[in-house]
Amino acid sequence: MLIGQTRLKEHFIDLISKDSLPKLIILTGEEGQGKYTLARYIADKVGDIYEPKQLKVNDIRLMVEDAQSLSKRRVYLLRDADEMTAQAQNALLKFAEEPTRNAYIILTVQHENNVLPTIRSRGQIYQLDPYTKEELRQFTEDELILKIFNTPGQIKRAMQIDIRKLENVVSKVIDNISKISAANVFNIINHLDEFDLDLVISMLLYMYENKLRDSAEPLKTLEQIKVIYKYKAQFKNKSINKRNALEVMLIELREKAIGG
C-alpha cells in the first residue's frame, strides 16, 4: 500500500498517459520512505515487470540483452541500486545510452550520489516527498514512534521492536558517553546491535535534540548533533562497514562530550 506521495503519483500517471515516461528513472529517498513501493506503483501502470534477484554485472547484462527484443512494454526494477558495483553500473550504460522502444528502468537509491555520474546524467531523478504526521498515523498511534520516525518503513520496523528498550539504551549512552573509555565503546555497540542502525540514529537525534532544549552546555550538545548528522549521511553509502562507522561516531560523540 502506497501512502502519500500524491504529487509524484499524479506526475507519473500524467507522464504515462502522454506516453512520455522517462526511459531511466532514479527514485531517491531515506531508507523505508517507500521508494520500492512507488517504483512498483509506476511499473504496474506501464506493463510487465522484470526484477533481477541480484544486481551483479552478469544479471545486468542479461537484463540489457532481454531489453533488446521486446514486443510490449516492460519495466526493469532495480531495487537498492546503491549496492551495484561500478562494473554492474557500467553494464547498465548500454541501455542508458541506447534505450529500446518498449523498455524502462527504475532504480531506487538512498542518494543519487550512490549512482555513477554517467548513469545520473542519462536518467531523471525524483526525490520522494516527506510524509505528514496524518499520513504516518495510518500505520500507528504510538506517539513516541510518531515523534521519532518519519518514514513508513521505519515505523513498521519500530513497531516490531521494544521501542522503550531502545529509548532506554540510547538514553544511557547519552548520559554516560563522556564517562566511557574509548576502549569500551565496542561494548556499547553490542547493546545496540539488536536494533537496525537507522532506528538507532533516529533515536539518538531525537534524544539529543530534546537534550539541547534543556542543556547546560548547548554548544557541546549541538556539536554532538552535528556529528550524528555527519554519520547519518555516510550511512547512506551501503559500501561502508556500518558497525565500524558507528564505533567511530560514538568515539567522536565522546570527544565532543568531554570537550575534545
Side-chain angles (χ1 to χ4, degrees):
M1 179 175 63
L2 180 59
I3 300 296
Q5 305 306 328
T6 302
R7 177 187 65 86
L8 285 175
K9 286 190 290 188
E10 292 177 351
H11 176 69
F12 284 117
I13 290 296
D14 183 57
L15 291 176
I16 293 168
S17 68
K18 295 175 179 176
D19 198 22
S20 56
L21 189 72
K23 289 291 188 176
L24 177 60
I25 295 171
I26 302 171
L27 299 179
T28 73
E30 297 286 337
E31 186 168 349
Q33 196 169 355
K35 302 181 295 297
Y36 178 72
T37 306
L38 178 59
R40 291 286 311 196
Y41 175 86
I42 299 166
D44 284 337
K45 304 293 182 183
V46 176
D48 291 343
I49 302 174
Y50 180 109
E51 187 174 353
K53 292 183 178 180
Q54 298 186 74
L55 300 181
K56 296 181 179 179
V57 62
N58 286 339
D59 301 289
I60 301 302
R61 286 172 178 163
L62 287 172
M63 186 192 76
V64 172
E65 182 180 337
D66 180 78
Q68 303 305 308
S69 57
L70 294 176
S71 59
K72 57 183 179 179
R73 294 192 298 185
R74 178 170 293 171
V75 177
Y76 298 88
L77 207 167
L78 307 186
R79 184 178 190 175
D80 296 331
D82 316 67
E83 299 177 357
M84 292 173 64
T85 64
Q87 187 181 16
Q89 291 189 48
N90 282 324
L92 185 61
L93 266 180
K94 179 174 176 60
F95 172 91
E97 292 172 342
E98 302 173 9
T100 57
R101 182 175 181 273
N102 288 316
Y104 300 84
I105 293 184
I106 303 177
L107 281 66
T108 69
V109 297
Q110 285 200 46
H111 196 280
E112 63 186 75
N113 288 340
N114 292 342
V115 180
L116 291 176
T118 47
I119 298 291
R120 294 201 306 268
S121 65
R122 291 167 173 81
Q124 290 291 319
I125 301 171
Y126 298 91
Q127 170 71 50
L128 268 68
D129 295 324
Y131 292 86
T132 66
K133 289 300 180 187
E134 289 71 27
E135 289 169 342
L136 295 177
R137 204 174 289 279
Q138 296 183 55
F139 297 98
T140 183
E141 290 293 333
D142 189 310
E143 291 300 328
L144 178 61
I145 290 176
L146 289 168
K147 286 178 182 177
I148 300 169
F149 306 108
N150 55 19
T151 72
Q154 282 188 320
I155 286 176
K156 288 176 183 177
R157 284 182 286 119
M159 291 168 63
Q160 294 172 358
I161 65 170
D162 186 340
I163 192 64
R164 270 71 191 175
K165 181 179 180 181
L166 175 59
E167 181 185 30
N168 184 52
V169 171
V170 170
S171 177
K172 288 180 179 178
V173 170
I174 293 174
D175 290 343
N176 297 285
I177 192 71
S178 63
K179 307 168 190 174
I180 300 169
S181 69
N184 284 333
V185 166
F186 187 78
N187 292 329
I188 297 176
I189 296 176
N190 289 336
H191 290 290
L192 296 173
D193 261 351
E194 68 179 276
F195 307 106
D196 290 350
L197 179 58
D198 66 308
L199 302 187
V200 172
I201 295 299
S202 293
M203 182 67 81
L204 276 167
L205 284 171
Y206 168 74
M207 299 190 74
Y208 264 116
E209 287 167 355
N210 279 347
K211 180 181 177 181
L212 181 62
R213 288 193 284 269
D214 304 313
S215 178
E217 298 179 297
L219 292 180
K220 279 188 179 182
T221 305
L222 185 58
E223 288 301 312
Q224 290 172 299
I225 291 172
K226 288 179 180 178
V227 167
I228 299 170
Y229 272 111
K230 179 179 74 172
Y231 281 92
K232 180 181 180 182
Q234 292 182 18
F235 291 147
K236 291 180 181 179
N237 184 343
K238 294 198 173 185
S239 66
I240 69 169
N241 185 314
K242 293 186 178 181
R243 201 173 195 277
N244 290 347
L246 179 60
E247 183 177 359
V248 175
M249 184 190 78
L250 290 171
I251 291 172
E252 283 197 35
L253 287 176
R254 173 184 174 275
E255 290 172 350
K256 296 297 183 183
I258 61 179

